[in-house]
């Protein structure tokens, strides 16, 4: 389980930069932002696929893998948005995150 979560965490760091890292470079041509994003996303896939395989082989269901990935994505993006994009974290984002965390609880509930 730890291996799956760590791989998902690192893969999400790559994907967050692939999807949102170019936002601070407004002068960059779109084609270049897409090409760079694809290059970064390659490494995300190199980690995400093994994470999902390991998780599934060790008892995670497909639904549990996806919901786990989404909460990790939210956590990684929150850190990215606050520290890299310099966006303020608002209470409404915390409340939204808690609702998503509730989804994780119900997905893993026996």
């Amino acid at each position: 389980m730890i291996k799956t979560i760590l791989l998902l965490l690192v893969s999400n760091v790559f994907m967050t930069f692939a999807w949102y890292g170019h936002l601070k470079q407004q002068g960059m041509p779109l084609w270049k932002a897409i090409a760079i994003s694809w290059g970064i996303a390659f490494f995300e896939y190199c980690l995400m696929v093994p994470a999902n395989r390991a998780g599934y082989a060790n008892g995670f269901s497909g639904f549990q893998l996806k919901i786990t990935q989404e909460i990790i994505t939210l956590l990684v993006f929150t850190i990215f948005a606050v520290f890299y994009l310099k966006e303020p974290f608002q209470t409404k984002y915390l409340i939204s995150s808690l609702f998503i965390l509730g989804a994780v609880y119900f997905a893993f509930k026996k």
Side-chain angles (χ1 to χ4, degrees):
M1 185 163 135
I2 298 294
K3 177 183 176 180
T4 298
I5 291 172
L6 287 174
L7 285 170
L8 288 173
L9 183 66
V10 177
S11 73
N12 272 279
V13 170
F14 278 104
M15 203 56 171
T16 299
F17 274 96
W19 284 1
Y20 303 103
H22 60 88
L23 295 178
K24 290 182 85 172
Q25 286 78 35
Q26 291 294 313
M28 180 187 300
L30 182 58
W31 70 266
K32 190 173 183 180
I34 292 169
I36 291 169
S37 293
W38 277 3
I40 296 169
F42 170 78
F43 296 102
E44 184 267 345
Y45 279 94
C46 288
L47 297 167
M48 180 68 76
V49 171
N52 286 329
R53 282 191 165 209
Y56 198 74
N58 288 302
F60 278 83
S61 71
F63 284 106
Q64 290 172 328
L65 282 168
K66 182 61 180 169
I67 291 170
T68 301
Q69 187 268 333
E70 292 300 331
I71 197 71
I72 290 170
T73 297
L74 184 60
L75 175 66
V76 169
F77 181 79
T78 298
I79 294 167
F80 176 86
V82 170
F83 291 103
Y84 183 78
L85 295 177
K86 306 288 189 218
E87 295 183 1
F89 188 77
Q90 299 177 20
T91 304
K92 64 182 178 181
Y93 303 139
L94 176 62
I95 294 167
S96 300
S97 298
L98 290 173
F99 279 111
I100 294 172
L101 192 57
V104 173
Y105 168 78
F106 285 109
F108 284 89
K109 187 176 183 214
K110 301 282 182 198

